[in-house]
Amino acid sequence: MNQIYLDHAATTPMHPEVIEEMSRLMQDIYGNPSSIHNYGRKAHEQLENFRETIAASLAVKPHEIIFNSGGTEGDNTAIIGTAFSRQEHGKHLITTAIEHPAVLETMKYLEKEGFEVTYLPVDKKGQLQLADFQKALRDDTILVSIMYANNETGNLLPIKEIGEILKDHPAVFHTDAVQAYGKIPITPYEDHIDLLSVSAHKINGPKGVGFLYKKDGINIPAYLHGGEQEEKRRAGTENLVGIGGMAKAVELLTPEVQAENREKYREFADIIFQTLDEQQVAYHLNGDPEHKLPHVLNLYFPDVSNDLLLMKLDLKGTAISTGSACTAGNIEPSHVLEAMYGEDALIVDQSVRISFGYGNTKEAIKEFASLLAETVKKSL
């Protein structure tokens, strides 16, 4: 039985060259980047080289990159920091109903602290309507936080258009780009993005490390207090090994490699669609096929329980996802699909997420597609 991992939207395996780079750093560069002796200077030099590599991937200035523990910290820092530092200008925040819990739970916390949050709806394709956004935008709106791409459907949201609307508005614009970064070109300056969160483990880097892009002129207080690391913006000794692994992962994802990956993942999706069609399996693609990341497929199989399908495939060595948040072993209905179709829609409990990534081959996808079709038919 071949093991096939198709849950790259949840997390990715580390690239061998990432592991090699991290091993080198653990052995050779163990000084504290804040120390002034030779060991510290070497570590600091490496840290700044990594910062330059990551900044170049977004075409931004190196000092606009703040290293942290990942997407959740980046989202919390951006949202809470902006809200409390700008509350004298207003207490209205805008987000969407399909954000990652790192954003939604942070917004709920701020509501308890007296802020007003507008959760924008999406249509049945999971797409945000600009008219709804423009209607929600107010003079006292101080922050807009909208994800670049949805982690369950792969939908790309209209970030460029929102940035264009906000360029003449005082609201700070934050985007959770955890799922999109490394998959498509992202240009914060052109998109008028002020704050952007990224996590390394989504791009074949290590877990527990990421960064927050903070545009010059956007002033938010430090989320962690202590030392003066990261230009006093994020206290704590930098995770040099993790940051080095992240930088290597970024370095490997050149624009050419990203383009090749996008084409490869579209081919993988076509293989699955063709196999399901040939096997006369009923299915529906959730999301917006015209505006999505190609590595994420969210498929609805009528009358087939998604947790049962996931379990059967898991027993056969294949890993996919329900696309739902799993906390302490309890699978909850997808809030994204509920926002699209309604809380009582059967489609919510009959959809699965398949996501491609490093290590997947055409042969493995063909094998998976046949197994998926067979398993769905036997589950009816």
Side-chain angles (χ1 to χ4, degrees), residues 95-101 103-104 145-147 150 157 176 335:
T95 190
T96 76
I98 60 170
E99 298 293 315
H100 188 277
V103 170
L104 291 178
S145 180
I146 294 177
M147 63 191 347
N150 185 261
L157 277 70
D176 178 332
H335 71 281

Side-chain angles (χ1 to χ4, degrees), residues 190-242:
E190 293 179 15
D191 297 344
H192 307 287
I193 295 169
D194 299 312
L195 298 160
L196 179 147
S197 310
V198 168
S199 195
H201 75 100
K202 304 289 189 178
I203 57 168
N204 307 112
K207 296 174 179 63
V209 63
F211 68 86
L212 176 68
Y213 156 76
K214 185 178 76 68
K215 182 181 178 181
D216 274 348
I218 300 298
N219 297 311
I220 55 175
Y223 191 59
L224 298 179
H225 302 279
E228 298 184 356
Q229 293 88 354
E230 298 301 293
E231 298 183 6
K232 300 182 182 181
R233 300 171 300 181
R234 201 269 188 182
T237 301
E238 292 94 346
N239 175 9
L240 185 65
V241 173

Side-chain angles (χ1 to χ4, degrees), residues 84-100:
F84 283 124
S85 65
R86 304 192 73 240
Q87 58 184 321
E88 70 274 13
H89 301 294
K91 304 193 77 170
H92 180 237
L93 319 174
I94 296 177
T95 190
T96 76
I98 60 170
E99 298 293 315
H100 188 277

Side-chain angles (χ1 to χ4, degrees), residues 284-298:
H284 169 74
L285 175 67
N286 296 319
D288 184 354
E290 301 301 318
H291 302 93
K292 69 181 294 295
L293 297 170
H295 78 292
V296 178
L297 294 181
N298 197 301

